[in-house]
Amino acid sequence: MSSPPAVDGSRDPIFACSGEMAERCARFDWASTPLGEPSTWPASMRAVVGMVLRSRFPMTVTWGDEFVMVYNDGYIPTLGAKHPGALGSSLPHQFAEIWDEIGPRQRAVLAGGESESDEDVPFVLERGSGPEETFYTFCWSHVSLDGQAPGPGGVLTVLTERTGEVVGARRLALLNALAMRTAESTDPDEALERTMHVLAEAGDDLVHGSYYSAGATGRLTRGPGFDTTTRDDSEQARDGARRLVETCWTTGEMTEERWDSGYGVALPVRASGRRVGVLFLGLHPLRPLDGAHRQWLGLVGDQVSQVVGTAASRADEQARVEALAQLDAAKSEFLSTVSHELRTPLTLLLGPLDDALADAEPTLSSVQVASMHQSAHRLLRLVNGLLDAAQRDVEPRPARIEPVAVSALTRDLVLPFEVAALRGGLTLTTTVDEVGVLSLDAARWESIVINLTANAVKYTPSGWVEVELDADGEHLRFVVRDSGIGISQADQSRIFDRFQRIETDTSVSVEGTGLGLAVVAESVRALGGTIEVDSAPGEGSVFTVRLPRLVAAPSEETEQRSTIAAEVLARDVTAPDAGEGSAEAMPDDGRPRVLVVDDNEGIRGRVAGVLADLGSTVTARDGIEALEILTDLQVDLVVTDMTMPRLNGLGLISRLRADPQHSGVPVIALSARAGTDAATSALAAGADDYVTKPFTSEELLARCRSTLELTRLRTEHAATAARAAMLAEFSHDLQTPMSVVMSALEMLSLPGVDDDARADAVVRARDRMVVLDRLVRQFLDGSRIAAGLPLLAVTASVDLHDLVRRALLDQRGVVVDPEESGPVRVLCDPRRTEQILRTLAVRARDGGDGPVGVRWTTSAPGADGVDVEVYAAGSRQPSQAPAQHNDLDLLVSGAAAAAQGGTLSLGSTPQHDTRFVLRLTEAD
């Protein structure tokens, strides 16, 4: 702006001041406006105009109904390109874009209303460069006329533009939100998603955006983004966005371009000092791209770079922590698995030895010696396997060819993985054909089977694993399939190299030495065979091993070895011998009944033998078989292994605790897994005790005796509490009739009581004595039931209709269904049956919301029974058999029904929510 001219002393005094607008006002042709010559202006207007022109604050005064404008130098930026044409023109014409917002308020002030003010009011102004978002704080005051001058007067506007402050605070808030809401992100993808959510909330500055990441090849790929509009990008904008992103990636600098729809900006994103992507942003068309705007966009790019870099660093650190945790978990799992595999044969070795040493003259039976011999061989094989794994790479040994029963050995090797797969939620299917005795190196064959099966289980987070062995012509074929994570084509060429691991983005652990498949490949080559892999990421893997099928005559050693393995397998998978697992085989000799559950026949027999001194034993091979036995047999104690096929120990304990019939049966858990975690899991599931293998006979017997004694004490305590509750209930029920009888007797002893009162007292006392007689009989019956004695019943042939009428004569609201209840005679104890019907009527009325009904029908043909139903609508009665109910009356009613050859049950129908059914024997 040029310097204002010197003040001309000939000017009108109101314009006699410095400034551009004073000069323009002095030269302006006011006569061409509704205001006329300044000399004719009212004094109040002249005074206000003079004040406006001399003020440094942005001001304007509008005069008359036309709102003719006079403004000062400070108001010029508000007008923009509208200056100087706005001088002397109409305010509604110059600000037509916002007149709908400010017009009513201007007119109200012009009409003499109160002054108005407001802060940080948003306006979209047209100032020469298109619509622009602005913010103003203003005050509007009425300028009244002086004296008798005609006209409405004017409006003085004093304002301050606050656009920079408001937009700056808004942009600063966005930067703070980016920092705060992405601070906890440990994954770059998650951090970018959060970043886009934050940017999407800045709709007044940014309308859309996308992040482009650079892959390993350096090619940009569009990632997460946001869009706050329903725009339909023009081809110009789409091409421009791609061009901006590519240019920014190439130059590493912020690039910008303007299109018809607004500005687009591309910002480089860096992490750890290198470019990792590009952030593209579409700017709001109401915000000009000035220096402050560019500076803020640079800060946004820096903030996003920091978010991405921090998240990537945290992800790397978390990955390292998880890798260490996985390594530690793998070590713990390895030690736990080895412990489990070693403890089972140790139990079968140490148990008989401890028993023999405890005797004055140690002796071992031939059965015990055979079992110990078998366990020693299994233990030796496990130890040799561990030593071979440690020494294989240090001192390679040549192939030692010998006759081997391949099928039996393979089954034996896969068996531990079946347990591991079951524990991990996998389905492991083994199909092993009988391929005969072949000449090969048994140790190398073991390494092939173990490593391939272990890898399949390890790299299959969920799904299935299949192991197959068969003879394919002149070749032995061993196949392991899985539904696991798969292997990429690039990795398949190096998976058999030493120290190579498959890197994966999945949660599957890849810790380990990377020797497993290398050992497999070396063993296959040493045996003159081939190995193939067919796999794809996410589609599982298939490993196929082919070896020459060299048939050999089985040697004595091989025959013995094959026999041992076959016997072990037969005892594990075939049905038990006669009497094993049979409820009928358990004698009823009054001693505790113990169910022993273990999938290992040796352990099963060992535990059953030890507990034979405690009571009668029955055995099962797994949880499913144990549950089948318990459907026909009530036992006093369950001793179960924790690791079993089909249903393991934890599953069995949970099922028992959820079954009302067996929820109180004590359970002792046996496991080869030591440590507090294993014991805690078993005890949390509901086990009463936990015994770790190997154990001594004395320890197991002591634990079992202690558990049975504690259970007996708990049962006696519960019975005592039940008897106390029964006595309390009986005492409460006696109080009401006793009080009536005592009151009647007291009345009869008073002098002057008339005959009618005496007769009424006698009737009331007699009625209550009947109730007392019934309660006493009921208590006596309950005592017999508690003592385990049957109730006595005197049966006779009676008419059911008459019996029901007598029983329910004093029961109000009971209706006998005449249509469904015909004449019939039943064989029952009338007194007990009447009491049962009265009890059921009261219970049905208490348990239902509607009237009580009684009806009877004959049972199915040939059943010789009559079902008497007592029913009512409602649902307050618990759905359980009356014989199991806690109340004494229902308990006695159920026992009384059984004493006369009938039954009593509780059920429900769509028509009747409460329904008792008393079955009686139909008389001839």
Side-chain angles (χ1 to χ4, degrees), residues 476-533:
L476 180 68
R477 192 174 70 101
F478 179 69
V479 181
V480 179
R481 298 185 181 88
D482 65 66
S483 61
I485 63 173
I487 307 170
S488 68
Q489 191 67 34
D491 288 330
Q492 290 180 26
S493 60
R494 60 185 182 89
I495 57 175
F496 296 110
D497 297 337
R498 288 177 179 269
F499 309 111
Q500 292 295 324
R501 297 191 301 267
I502 303 301
E503 300 296 334
T504 172
D505 293 333
T506 69
S507 60
V508 176
S509 173
V510 296
E511 297 296 330
T513 61
L515 287 172
L517 290 179
V519 170
V520 169
E522 292 171 4
S523 298
V524 170
R525 286 194 297 267
L527 295 175
T530 61
I531 182 169
E532 299 174 355
V533 58

Coordinates of all heavy atoms in Angstrom, one line a residue, residues 476-533:
L476 N 8.9 -97.9 -0.1 CA 8.1 -97.6 1.2 C 7.8 -96.2 1.1 O 8.6 -95.3 0.9 CB 9.0 -97.9 2.4 CG 8.4 -97.7 3.8 CD1 7.3 -98.7 4.0 CD2 9.5 -97.8 4.8
R477 N 6.5 -95.9 1.3 CA 6.0 -94.5 1.2 C 5.5 -94.0 2.6 O 4.6 -94.6 3.2 CB 4.9 -94.4 0.1 CG 4.6 -92.9 -0.3 CD 3.6 -93.0 -1.4 NE 2.3 -93.4 -1.0 CZ 1.3 -92.6 -0.7 NH1 1.4 -91.3 -0.9 NH2 0.1 -93.1 -0.3
F478 N 6.1 -92.9 3.0 CA 5.6 -92.3 4.3 C 5.2 -90.8 4.0 O 6.0 -90.0 3.4 CB 6.8 -92.3 5.3 CG 6.4 -91.6 6.6 CD1 5.5 -92.2 7.5 CD2 7.0 -90.4 7.0 CE1 5.1 -91.6 8.7 CE2 6.6 -89.8 8.2 CZ 5.7 -90.4 9.0
V479 N 3.9 -90.5 4.3 CA 3.3 -89.2 3.9 C 2.8 -88.5 5.2 O 2.1 -89.1 6.0 CB 2.2 -89.4 2.9 CG1 1.6 -88.0 2.5 CG2 2.7 -90.1 1.7
V480 N 3.1 -87.2 5.3 CA 2.6 -86.4 6.4 C 1.9 -85.2 5.8 O 2.6 -84.4 5.1 CB 3.7 -85.9 7.4 CG1 3.1 -85.1 8.5 CG2 4.4 -87.1 8.0
R481 N 0.6 -85.1 6.0 CA -0.2 -83.9 5.5 C -0.7 -83.1 6.7 O -0.9 -83.6 7.7 CB -1.4 -84.4 4.7 CG -1.1 -85.2 3.5 CD -2.4 -85.5 2.7 NE -2.1 -86.4 1.5 CZ -2.1 -87.7 1.5 NH1 -2.3 -88.3 2.7 NH2 -1.9 -88.4 0.4
D482 N -0.8 -81.8 6.4 CA -1.4 -80.9 7.5 C -2.1 -79.8 6.8 O -2.0 -79.5 5.6 CB -0.3 -80.4 8.4 CG 0.7 -79.5 7.7 OD1 0.3 -78.4 7.3 OD2 1.9 -79.9 7.6
S483 N -3.0 -79.2 7.6 CA -3.7 -78.0 7.1 C -3.2 -76.7 7.7 O -3.9 -75.7 8.0 CB -5.2 -78.1 7.6 OG -5.3 -78.2 9.0
G484 N -1.8 -76.7 7.9 CA -1.2 -75.6 8.6 C -0.9 -74.4 7.7 O -1.6 -74.1 6.7
I485 N 0.1 -73.6 8.1 CA 0.4 -72.3 7.5 C 1.0 -72.4 6.1 O 0.9 -71.5 5.3 CB 1.3 -71.5 8.4 CG1 2.7 -72.2 8.5 CG2 0.7 -71.3 9.8 CD1 3.7 -71.3 9.2
G486 N 1.5 -73.6 5.8 CA 2.1 -73.7 4.5 C 3.5 -73.1 4.3 O 4.0 -72.4 5.2
I487 N 4.1 -73.3 3.2 CA 5.5 -72.8 2.9 C 5.5 -72.2 1.5 O 4.9 -72.8 0.6 CB 6.5 -74.0 2.9 CG1 6.3 -74.8 4.3 CG2 7.9 -73.5 2.8 CD1 7.1 -76.1 4.3
S488 N 6.1 -71.0 1.4 CA 6.1 -70.3 0.2 C 7.1 -71.1 -0.8 O 7.9 -71.8 -0.4 CB 6.6 -68.9 0.4 OG 7.9 -68.9 0.8
Q489 N 6.9 -70.8 -2.1 CA 7.7 -71.4 -3.1 C 9.2 -71.0 -2.9 O 10.1 -71.9 -3.1 CB 7.2 -71.0 -4.5 CG 7.9 -71.8 -5.6 CD 7.4 -73.2 -5.7 OE1 6.3 -73.6 -5.3 NE2 8.3 -74.1 -6.1
A490 N 9.4 -69.8 -2.5 CA 10.8 -69.3 -2.3 C 11.5 -70.1 -1.2 O 12.7 -70.4 -1.2 CB 10.8 -67.8 -2.0
D491 N 10.7 -70.4 -0.1 CA 11.3 -71.1 1.0 C 11.5 -72.6 0.8 O 12.3 -73.2 1.5 CB 10.4 -70.9 2.3 CG 10.5 -69.5 2.8 OD1 11.6 -68.8 2.6 OD2 9.5 -69.0 3.4
Q492 N 10.7 -73.2 -0.1 CA 10.8 -74.6 -0.3 C 12.1 -75.1 -0.8 O 12.5 -76.2 -0.6 CB 9.7 -75.1 -1.3 CG 8.3 -74.9 -0.7 CD 7.2 -75.4 -1.7 OE1 7.5 -76.2 -2.6 NE2 6.0 -74.9 -1.6
S493 N 12.9 -74.2 -1.4 CA 14.2 -74.6 -1.9 C 15.3 -74.6 -0.9 O 16.4 -75.1 -1.1 CB 14.6 -73.6 -3.1 OG 14.7 -72.3 -2.5
R494 N 15.0 -74.1 0.3 CA 16.0 -74.0 1.4 C 15.6 -74.6 2.7 O 16.4 -74.6 3.7 CB 16.5 -72.6 1.6 CG 15.3 -71.6 2.0 CD 15.8 -70.2 2.0 NE 14.8 -69.3 2.5 CZ 14.6 -69.0 3.8 NH1 15.3 -69.5 4.7 NH2 13.6 -68.1 4.1
I495 N 14.4 -75.2 2.8 CA 13.9 -75.7 4.1 C 14.7 -76.9 4.6 O 14.8 -77.2 5.8 CB 12.4 -76.0 4.0 CG1 12.2 -77.1 2.9 CG2 11.6 -74.8 3.8 CD1 10.8 -77.6 2.9
F496 N 15.4 -77.6 3.6 CA 16.2 -78.8 4.0 C 17.7 -78.4 4.3 O 18.5 -79.3 4.6 CB 16.1 -79.8 2.9 CG 14.7 -80.4 2.8 CD1 14.0 -80.1 1.6 CD2 14.1 -81.2 3.7 CE1 12.7 -80.6 1.4 CE2 12.8 -81.7 3.6 CZ 12.1 -81.4 2.4
D497 N 18.0 -77.1 4.2 CA 19.3 -76.7 4.6 C 19.5 -76.6 6.1 O 18.5 -76.3 6.8 CB 19.7 -75.3 3.9 CG 19.7 -75.4 2.4 OD1 19.8 -76.5 1.9 OD2 19.5 -74.3 1.8
R498 N 20.7 -76.7 6.6 CA 20.9 -76.6 8.0 C 20.7 -75.2 8.5 O 21.0 -74.2 7.8 CB 22.4 -77.0 8.3 CG 22.7 -78.5 8.2 CD 24.1 -78.8 8.5 NE 24.4 -80.2 8.3 CZ 24.4 -81.1 9.4 NH1 24.0 -80.6 10.6 NH2 24.6 -82.3 9.2
F499 N 20.2 -75.1 9.7 CA 19.9 -73.8 10.4 C 19.0 -72.9 9.6 O 19.1 -71.7 9.8 CB 21.3 -73.1 10.6 CG 22.3 -74.0 11.3 CD1 23.4 -74.4 10.6 CD2 22.1 -74.4 12.6 CE1 24.4 -75.2 11.2 CE2 23.1 -75.2 13.2 CZ 24.2 -75.6 12.5
Q500 N 18.1 -73.4 8.8 CA 17.2 -72.6 8.1 C 15.8 -72.7 8.8 O 15.4 -73.8 9.1 CB 17.0 -73.0 6.6 CG 18.3 -72.8 5.8 CD 18.6 -71.3 5.7 OE1 17.7 -70.5 5.6 NE2 19.9 -70.9 5.7
R501 N 15.2 -71.6 8.9 CA 13.8 -71.5 9.5 C 12.9 -70.8 8.6 O 13.3 -69.9 7.9 CB 13.8 -70.8 10.9 CG 14.7 -71.5 11.9 CD 14.4 -70.9 13.3 NE 14.6 -69.5 13.3 CZ 15.8 -69.0 13.7 NH1 16.8 -69.7 14.0 NH2 16.0 -67.6 13.7
I502 N 11.6 -71.2 8.6 CA 10.6 -70.5 7.7 C 10.1 -69.3 8.5 O 9.5 -69.4 9.5 CB 9.5 -71.5 7.4 CG1 10.1 -72.8 6.7 CG2 8.5 -70.8 6.5 CD1 10.8 -72.5 5.5
E503 N 10.4 -68.1 7.9 CA 9.8 -66.9 8.5 C 8.4 -66.8 8.0 O 8.0 -66.9 6.9 CB 10.7 -65.7 8.0 CG 12.1 -65.8 8.3 CD 12.4 -65.7 9.8 OE1 11.5 -65.2 10.6 OE2 13.4 -66.3 10.3
T504 N 7.5 -66.4 9.0 CA 6.1 -66.3 8.8 C 5.5 -65.1 9.5 O 6.0 -64.8 10.6 CB 5.4 -67.6 9.2 OG1 4.0 -67.4 9.1 CG2 5.7 -68.0 10.6
D505 N 4.5 -64.6 8.9 CA 3.8 -63.4 9.6 C 2.7 -63.9 10.5 O 2.1 -63.1 11.1 CB 3.2 -62.5 8.5 CG 4.2 -61.8 7.7 OD1 5.3 -61.6 8.2 OD2 4.0 -61.5 6.5
T506 N 2.5 -65.2 10.6 CA 1.5 -65.7 11.5 C 2.0 -65.8 12.9 O 3.2 -65.5 13.2 CB 1.0 -67.1 11.0 OG1 2.1 -68.1 11.2 CG2 0.7 -67.1 9.6
S507 N 1.1 -66.2 13.8 CA 1.5 -66.3 15.2 C 2.2 -67.6 15.5 O 2.6 -67.8 16.7 CB 0.2 -66.2 16.1 OG -0.7 -67.3 15.8
V508 N 2.5 -68.5 14.6 CA 3.2 -69.7 14.8 C 4.6 -69.4 15.2 O 5.3 -68.7 14.5 CB 3.1 -70.6 13.6 CG1 3.9 -71.9 13.8 CG2 1.6 -71.0 13.3
S509 N 5.1 -70.0 16.2 CA 6.5 -69.8 16.6 C 7.5 -70.5 15.6 O 7.2 -71.6 15.1 CB 6.8 -70.4 18.0 OG 8.1 -70.4 18.3
V510 N 8.6 -69.8 15.3 CA 9.6 -70.3 14.4 C 10.9 -70.5 15.1 O 11.9 -70.6 14.4 CB 9.7 -69.4 13.1 CG1 8.5 -69.4 12.3 CG2 10.2 -68.0 13.5
E511 N 10.9 -70.5 16.4 CA 12.1 -70.7 17.2 C 12.6 -72.1 17.0 O 11.8 -73.0 16.7 CB 11.8 -70.4 18.6 CG 11.4 -68.9 18.9 CD 12.5 -68.0 18.6 OE1 13.7 -68.3 18.7 OE2 12.2 -66.8 18.2
G512 N 13.9 -72.3 17.1 CA 14.5 -73.6 17.0 C 15.8 -73.5 16.3 O 16.2 -72.4 15.7
T513 N 16.5 -74.6 16.2 CA 17.8 -74.6 15.5 C 17.7 -74.7 14.0 O 18.7 -74.4 13.3 CB 18.6 -75.8 16.0 OG1 18.0 -77.0 15.7 CG2 18.8 -75.7 17.6
G514 N 16.6 -75.1 13.5 CA 16.5 -75.2 12.1 C 17.2 -76.5 11.6 O 17.5 -76.6 10.4
L515 N 17.4 -77.5 12.4 CA 18.0 -78.7 12.0 C 17.0 -79.9 11.7 O 17.4 -80.9 11.2 CB 19.0 -79.2 13.1 CG 20.3 -78.4 13.3 CD1 21.0 -78.9 14.5 CD2 21.2 -78.6 12.0
G516 N 15.8 -79.7 12.1 CA 14.9 -80.8 12.0 C 14.7 -81.4 10.6 O 15.0 -82.6 10.4
L517 N 14.4 -80.5 9.6 CA 14.2 -81.0 8.3 C 15.6 -81.3 7.6 O 15.6 -82.2 6.7 CB 13.5 -79.9 7.4 CG 12.0 -79.7 7.8 CD1 11.4 -78.7 6.9 CD2 11.2 -81.0 7.6
A518 N 16.6 -80.7 8.1 CA 18.0 -81.1 7.6 C 18.3 -82.5 8.0 O 18.8 -83.3 7.2 CB 19.0 -80.1 8.1
V519 N 18.0 -82.8 9.2 CA 18.2 -84.2 9.7 C 17.4 -85.2 8.9 O 17.8 -86.3 8.5 CB 17.9 -84.3 11.2 CG1 17.9 -85.8 11.7 CG2 18.9 -83.5 12.0
V520 N 16.1 -84.8 8.6 CA 15.2 -85.7 7.8 C 15.9 -85.9 6.4 O 16.0 -87.0 5.9 CB 13.9 -85.0 7.6 CG1 13.0 -85.8 6.6 CG2 13.1 -85.0 9.0
A521 N 16.3 -84.8 5.8 CA 16.9 -84.9 4.4 C 18.2 -85.8 4.5 O 18.4 -86.7 3.6 CB 17.3 -83.6 3.9
E522 N 19.0 -85.6 5.5 CA 20.2 -86.4 5.6 C 19.9 -87.9 5.8 O 20.5 -88.8 5.2 CB 21.1 -85.9 6.8 CG 21.7 -84.6 6.5 CD 22.3 -84.0 7.8 OE1 22.4 -84.7 8.8 OE2 22.8 -82.8 7.7
S523 N 18.9 -88.2 6.7 CA 18.5 -89.6 6.9 C 17.9 -90.2 5.6 O 18.2 -91.4 5.3 CB 17.4 -89.6 8.0 OG 18.0 -89.1 9.2
V524 N 17.1 -89.4 4.9 CA 16.5 -90.0 3.7 C 17.6 -90.3 2.7 O 17.6 -91.4 2.0 CB 15.5 -89.0 3.1 CG1 15.1 -89.4 1.7 CG2 14.3 -88.9 4.0
R525 N 18.6 -89.4 2.5 CA 19.7 -89.7 1.6 C 20.5 -90.9 2.0 O 20.9 -91.7 1.2 CB 20.6 -88.4 1.5 CG 20.0 -87.3 0.7 CD 21.0 -86.3 0.3 NE 21.6 -85.6 1.5 CZ 21.1 -84.5 2.1 NH1 20.1 -83.9 1.5 NH2 21.7 -84.0 3.1
A526 N 20.8 -91.0 3.3 CA 21.5 -92.1 3.8 C 20.8 -93.5 3.6 O 21.5 -94.5 3.4 CB 21.8 -92.0 5.3
L527 N 19.5 -93.4 3.5 CA 18.7 -94.7 3.3 C 18.4 -94.9 1.8 O 17.7 -95.8 1.5 CB 17.4 -94.6 4.1 CG 17.6 -94.6 5.6 CD1 16.2 -94.5 6.3 CD2 18.2 -95.9 6.1
G528 N 19.0 -94.0 1.0 CA 18.8 -94.2 -0.5 C 17.4 -93.8 -1.0 O 17.0 -94.3 -2.0
G529 N 16.8 -92.8 -0.3 CA 15.4 -92.4 -0.7 C 15.3 -91.0 -1.2 O 16.4 -90.3 -1.4
T530 N 14.1 -90.5 -1.4 CA 13.9 -89.2 -1.8 C 12.8 -88.6 -0.9 O 12.0 -89.3 -0.3 CB 13.4 -89.1 -3.2 OG1 12.1 -89.8 -3.4 CG2 14.4 -89.7 -4.2
I531 N 12.8 -87.2 -0.8 CA 11.7 -86.5 -0.1 C 11.2 -85.4 -0.9 O 12.0 -84.7 -1.6 CB 12.2 -86.0 1.3 CG1 11.1 -85.3 2.0 CG2 13.4 -85.1 1.1 CD1 11.4 -85.0 3.5
E532 N 9.9 -85.2 -1.0 CA 9.3 -84.1 -1.8 C 8.3 -83.4 -0.8 O 7.8 -83.9 0.1 CB 8.4 -84.7 -2.9 CG 9.3 -85.6 -3.9 CD 8.4 -86.3 -4.9 OE1 7.2 -86.2 -4.8 OE2 9.0 -86.9 -5.8
V533 N 8.2 -82.1 -1.2 CA 7.2 -81.2 -0.5 C 6.3 -80.5 -1.4 O 6.8 -80.1 -2.5 CB 8.0 -80.2 0.4 CG1 8.9 -79.3 -0.4 CG2 7.0 -79.3 1.2

